Amino acid sequence: MTVSLDTPPPSPTNVVASNCVCAHCNLPVPAGLVDASAEDQFCCHGCSTAYAIIHSCNLDRYYAFRDRDGVTPQPAAATGHRYLELDDPAFLDLHAPLKSDNTRTTDFYLEGVHCAACVWLVEKIPAIDHGVIDARLDFGKSLVRLTWREGETKLADIARTLDSLGYSPHPARSATARSVRKLDNRRQLIRIGVAGACMGNTMLLAVALYAGLFATMDNSYTLLFRWLSMLIGVVALAWPGAVFFRGAYAAIRTRTPHLDLPIALGLGVGGIVGVINTFRGTGEIYFDSLSVLVFLLLVGRFLQHRSQALADDSVELLFALTPMTAHRVSPQNPMQIDDVPITSLQLNDIVEIRPGESIPVDGIITRGDSSIDESLLTGESHPKSVSLNFPIHAGTVNISSPIYAQVRATGEDTRVGKLMKLVTECARRKAPIVLFADRLGGRFLIAVLFIAAAVFTLWTMLGSANAADHAVAVLIIACPCALGLATPLAVTVAIGRAARRGILIKGGETLERLAQPGLLLLDKTGTLTTGRMSLRSWQGDETLQPLVAAIEAHSTHPIAGALTSGLASTATLTATDIQQHLSGISGTCEGQALLIGSQHFMEIHHVDIPYELLQTTYDATPVFIAANGLVRACASVGDTLRPDALTALNSLRALGWRIAILSGDHPDVVRHIADQLHVTDARGGLLPEQKLAIVQEELLRGPVVMVGDGVNDAAALAAATVGIAVHGGAEASLAAANIYLHTPGLLPIVDVMHASQKTLTIIRRSLAASLTYNAFSVTLAALGIINPLIAAILMPISSLTVLSLAMGSKTFRRTLP
């Protein structure tokens, strides 16, 4: 059936009611939710609410858009959250400041956006909430920008409307920074587009002019083509090419040699001579070559800029590591819990942290006992037990029971906030991608100016009328465009090939730094190991295994997850009387009262452990199982070594790298892993600050590569010569690192080390080819063998040579063992 989008489509209700499918999402309606007396059937309350809103606002075309595109329907997963914290004045002032026209604007990240129909519906929010002026959704990023009038509606109301439609909203942080970066990228792309258009048109005119040299062309057409070429070429130099002249002016003003200086000189001299010759009607014009060079240089600079911009993302990581809101205990009524934004919290406020939630602040526990997963900060693979007066830190996760804490620090003042500052400071101390080519640019400029002046002087002394043409030919043919393109081209090709192998590299300096072997420091948890708890062994009564799995299924603790998955049973058992304790869990299953937990947990319950079940282990945690007051089994739970770890480390040793392990885990556990990998230098129990200090100390002795996956590794990753974040790592480590391995395992590190040497060889070869070309061609121009026309034709050859060398390289093509 064809549905016209100009008129509302038939209500889906009439079609689906008889088939017991949801009137909103077309998915089957569970038998328990079928209402025989209702015309419309819904699979959940969320779909019912969403359908009512869409139908009441005459937005039924949403279903036509969805059905036309053949999109798989999804239920409206409304959360029912009230979002009152969004109306807090502190939150609004920070994320949606009031404008002069009495409007506010903010960005939301939306869950559940999956098709073009979703975009259409979200952008119709002004028709649902008349206080909303505009809603624009970026489908690729699921970011919606909302603008509303102050006083006519509230942000919480808008958020509840989005939630009721099945799109759970989350305020997007650092929207201003993203907008500035997006605007800058757009400007660069516009410059590239204009330069490309100018290049294409000047090349077409150049073909006609060059063809006219070998055939008769009317002089009026020749003049027309020259003037058109000049006009288009001036546009290319004055608009997209202006970035090089601004860079050259800045270099002169700050007395800092920069590659923009010789580039601007070559472009400027070529442009001026071309304009003069156009007005004179004689001589050569060079606007075709100049337009090509402007386009190529802008493309290379854009790719370079995009790579460097990735490093700046680390300043936004604090918001990804800690929650946006907190459960604050009302000072007036201790029984009242309010959801408020983090920015509203004050020192000494009391907050509630529920099981499974990320801790929003640094504080001191005032009530409750629980266990905390601190792997984000310390790398410790085992949860830490906490109770009254224990300190807790933002970004860690509460596992077992509700706790209450007094606020000691928020935002950037928390421990994770200070760690992010260290990441940013270390990243800023790194050298930019200019590398050797930029340092060479200043010397090259002086040499070119000296040679051009000498050529003009000598030919003038010899009485030649072409002295100026010879000097111009030197300046044009010596334009260091290939010198500027050599590094970014080779790096861009290598980075692109690495990305296809699941290796993301931020910048060419990374490849250069890896070319020389040094010290390789490896984190343990999540790097050398998988970072996931699993059942290692079981000793004792095996009939208790399905009972343990049934009880542990009620816990969110990592050890419980390992036991549940490791003891999976086809039998469906029901566990009752579940009680979660600080170091264990208890419950009843199949008529047996079970205690499951640590040795300390058994001692608290006065249960003796048989000697044969007591064991000393360095790489696993023992979990004892007592049934009806007797310990009858012991399960060993621990992290597992990555299967390719030993092979990768042996390959790296063969390349000349020294290996060491830095970990926040227990020293005994670290030593056990190190013994398996034949690593003699292994240090455990380290805090993030201690890892950073070790990296900084080792940097005094030579290059240091740090490999890690957690926030506790972020500062060390940023400070190291090269930081490598492995697959599955925390977002902080990914942004702080220079390289991210999307492919699991350590063998990709070996591939990176090999490819870095190959890439550096290509860069050196390209620079050598460029310098050799310039030296040879400048000599010919100085001797008068090459005139300005030939110089303009030969000028792009060096760039094409560099491009061929880069594209023909064999980086990241080695087959991994």
Side-chain angles (χ1 to χ4, degrees), residues 558-571:
I559 291 180
L563 291 173
T564 302
S565 59
L567 302 175
S569 173
T570 57

Side-chain angles (χ1 to χ4, degrees), residues 14-34:
N14 299 330
V15 178
V16 303
S18 60
N19 297 325
C20 287
V21 294
C22 181
H24 176 69
C25 68
N26 285 349
L27 295 178
V29 178
L33 296 180
V34 175

Side-chain angles (χ1 to χ4, degrees), residues 334-357:
M335 302 301 294
Q336 179 181 338
I337 306 293
D338 299 319
D339 289 343
V340 298
I342 295 295
T343 51
S344 298
L345 292 177
Q346 304 293 329
L347 291 180
N348 299 323
D349 279 350
I350 303 297
V351 295
E352 179 191 38
I353 304 105
R354 297 161 187 169
E357 290 185 343

Side-chain angles (χ1 to χ4, degrees), residues 15-90:
V15 178
V16 303
S18 60
N19 297 325
C20 287
V21 294
C22 181
H24 176 69
C25 68
N26 285 349
L27 295 178
V29 178
L33 296 180
V34 175
D35 185 356
S37 62
E39 181 181 2
D40 301 327
Q41 304 294 331
F42 301 98
C43 66
C44 63
H45 178 71
C47 283
S48 174
T49 304
Y51 179 81
I53 294 174
I54 293 172
H55 189 69
S56 63
C57 296
N58 296 320
L59 297 176
D60 295 281
R61 290 177 64 191
Y62 162 75
Y63 299 105
F65 280 116
R66 187 194 65 190
D67 296 341
R68 180 196 62 181
D69 295 338
V71 177
T72 302
Q74 293 188 6
T79 65
H81 186 57
R82 299 184 66 189
Y83 297 99
L84 297 179
E85 67 275 7
L86 300 181
D87 289 335
D88 187 279

Side-chain angles (χ1 to χ4, degrees), residues 568-628:
S569 173
T570 57
T572 303
L573 303 179
T574 301
T576 58
D577 302 326
I578 302 297
Q579 293 185 10
Q580 298 194 43
H581 305 271
L582 189 60
S583 54
I585 189 172
S586 63
T588 301
C589 186
E590 296 295 298
Q592 298 194 59
L594 271 68
L595 297 173
I596 308 169
S598 65
Q599 181 176 351
H600 177 66
F601 184 62
M602 296 300 161
E603 292 173 353
I604 293 175
H605 289 81
H606 308 290
V607 177
D608 295 330
I609 302 175
Y611 177 79
E612 60 270 17
L613 292 180
L614 285 173
Q615 55 182 341
T616 302
T617 178
Y618 298 109
D619 64 335
T621 299
V623 179
F624 298 97
I625 297 95
N628 298 324

Side-chain angles (χ1 to χ4, degrees), residues 497-699:
R497 289 175 178 165
R500 289 194 290 272
R501 296 182 68 93
I503 302 171
L504 307 183
I505 302 174
K506 301 177 184 178
E509 77 279 5
T510 299
L511 295 172
E512 182 187 37
R513 292 167 180 169
L514 287 175
Q516 296 298 324
L519 177 63
L520 183 69
L521 300 175
L522 296 135
D523 176 48
K524 182 192 73 70
T525 306
T527 303
L528 293 172
T529 64
T530 60
R532 296 185 300 273
M533 289 284 189
S534 61
L535 179 63
R536 293 287 191 83
S537 63
W538 177 280
Q539 289 180 281
D541 190 351
E542 296 184 357
T543 62
L544 295 178
Q545 291 183 1
L547 283 64
V548 171
I551 292 176
E552 292 288 5
H554 293 269
S555 174
T556 59
H557 197 284
I559 291 180
L563 291 173
T564 302
S565 59
L567 302 175
S569 173
T570 57
T572 303
L573 303 179
T574 301
T576 58
D577 302 326
I578 302 297
Q579 293 185 10
Q580 298 194 43
H581 305 271
L582 189 60
S583 54
I585 189 172
S586 63
T588 301
C589 186
E590 296 295 298
Q592 298 194 59
L594 271 68
L595 297 173
I596 308 169
S598 65
Q599 181 176 351
H600 177 66
F601 184 62
M602 296 300 161
E603 292 173 353
I604 293 175
H605 289 81
H606 308 290
V607 177
D608 295 330
I609 302 175
Y611 177 79
E612 60 270 17
L613 292 180
L614 285 173
Q615 55 182 341
T616 302
T617 178
Y618 298 109
D619 64 335
T621 299
V623 179
F624 298 97
I625 297 95
N628 298 324
L630 297 175
V631 174
R632 293 165 49 187
C634 176
S636 295
V637 177
D639 203 354
T640 56
L641 194 66
R642 288 189 184 272
D644 64 343
L646 183 58
T647 302
L649 295 193
N650 287 337
S651 299
L652 291 169
R653 290 189 186 98
L655 292 175
W657 289 91
R658 295 176 289 116
I659 310 294
I661 298 176
L662 303 182
S663 177
D665 214 340
H666 193 279
D668 290 339
V669 178
V670 177
R671 171 46 52 197
H672 182 84
I673 293 294
D675 290 341
Q676 297 181 62
L677 298 174
H678 312 306
V679 177
T680 56
D681 185 3
R683 285 169 265 187
L686 299 176
L687 296 175
E689 295 81 1
Q690 292 174 314
K691 288 187 176 184
L692 174 61
I694 292 173
V695 169
Q696 291 173 335
E697 179 183 351
E698 293 292 344
L699 281 171

Side-chain angles (χ1 to χ4, degrees), residues 457-480:
T457 302
L458 290 174
W459 280 104
T460 301
M461 293 174 61
L462 293 174
S464 174
N466 298 321
D469 285 345
H470 296 328
V472 169
V474 169
L475 290 173
I476 291 176
I477 205 165
C479 182

